[in-house]
Amino acid sequence: MTRTDNPVARIIIYIALALFTLYNILPFTWTIMNSVKLPKDANARIPRYIFSPTGENYADLWLNIPPENFAPYGLALILILFALVAIGLSAKRIPAPNSVVYIGCIFAGVAVALILPEIINTAEFYDYLINSVIVTMGTLCVSLTIGALAGYGLARYRHVVSVYILVIALAFRSLPSLALVLPFYYLGQLSGLYDTHILLILCLVATNQPFTIWMLRSFFMEIPREIEEAAMIDGAGRLRSFVSVIVPIMWPGIITTGLFTLLLAYNDFLLARILTQINWTLPVGIAQFTGGEDPGHITLAAAASVSTTLPILIVIIFFQKYLIRGLASGAVKG
């Protein structure tokens, strides 16, 4: 792309970029505003931009106790969250790999989320958050483990069979999710795993695994064979060279693939709605506020949407460096 020095053209470009940015952030900004409005303000015939903000929507969404009783716990949670964010932002100053620090912060946050219901009386929507965390982390771990091994094998095994496997995986990934729901539902009923985290994790892994394999394989294709061959000459086996040599080089690619897998599993609605009856995840929980005639549902849906988005934003902020590096290394060239 040629850089222009024409001041008029630069002004037009900046205005266009500013308008495009405003267009993209306006819906989320409006959702944040609705999440702190009273139902009468959110349902007003004329949109109200000036109003008295309230936190009652978030309290009703997450708690079964009066908001004033939650104040000490809320302060402690804010301090813990601030500490985890501060540790993540200062990861370069900690004598440990940045990825280890980031993953440690995420697991610490997950541990706090799992312990919190034992301390205070949380609402049903909090159970949806725990279900989403369990399903997402389970899908992420299984998908990356299988995808890394399969992608490595297909990248190093140059044979027509590997081409057939990749084409079959791509064909399976191209099927609409609706075509897979009924077989998954039947298998869940047949195995007795219906409405369990295990069934949902296995189905999400099966749905997203072709994407994971294709993406990781393209990363492995970028790594020269000579690196692992040098390790094997020094006495390392195939598995040892993979774990000790290839995986550290592949961290940006693994994290990039993991972020996409995380988003696919975290935001899935169809499989979670059909394959669960009680153990709903966050997207299914939000859907219960999007219908009906209760005027308070619009503010609860906005609060639920904002609450669901914040964890993903925090994860993306932590791993944005690896995401950019992974995408720039040719992982999405196919």
Side-chain angles (χ1 to χ4, degrees), residues 77-109:
L77 287 175
I78 292 175
L79 292 176
I80 293 173
L81 180 61
F82 179 79
L84 292 176
V85 172
I87 292 173
L89 295 177
S90 59
K92 294 182 179 180
R93 302 179 181 179
I94 298 176
N98 291 354
S99 57
V100 175
V101 176
Y102 296 150
I103 294 174
C105 291
I106 292 175
F107 275 98

Side-chain angles (χ1 to χ4, degrees), residues 177-191:
S177 299
L178 193 60
L180 305 174
V181 168
L182 290 180
F184 287 154
Y185 178 83
Y186 176 75
L187 290 175
Q189 294 285 356
L190 192 65
S191 62

